[in-house]
């Protein structure tokens, strides 16, 4: 993970009050082309059970920061 991506991860972790693994795993799942509904339903273990609303907000903020 580059320094730029690391700073984005830190910012998202802070803004959403999440654990770092939740943000890192969610970003990886999004980058791998998974949809938010798929992640919310089938990847709860990776995201720490984030719901689709939080995932969607995180996705939108990630795109904005990038």
């Amino acid at each position: 993970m580059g320094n730029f991506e690391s700073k984005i991860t830190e910012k998202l972790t802070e803004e959403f009050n999440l654990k770092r693994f939740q943000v890192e795993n969610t970003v990886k799942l999004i980058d791998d082309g998974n949809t938010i509904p798929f992640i919310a339903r089938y990847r709860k273990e990776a995201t720490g059970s984030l719901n689709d609303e939080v995932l969607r907000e995180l996705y939108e903020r990630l795109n904005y920061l990038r």
Side-chain angles (χ1 to χ4, degrees), residues 5-20 22-24 26-27 30 54-55 57-66:
E5 286 294 319
S6 183
K7 287 195 185 308
I8 289 175
T9 299
E10 285 177 32
K11 187 153 185 64
L12 291 171
T13 301
E14 207 173 278
E15 286 182 14
F16 286 87
N17 196 25
L18 298 171
K19 293 182 171 74
R20 188 171 181 91
Q22 291 176 293
V23 174
E24 288 175 345
T26 301
V27 170
I30 289 169
V54 173
L55 290 168
E57 290 173 12
L58 194 133
Y59 172 76
E60 289 170 7
R61 187 70 176 139
L62 172 66
N63 285 331
Y64 176 80
L65 292 172
R66 281 183 169 166

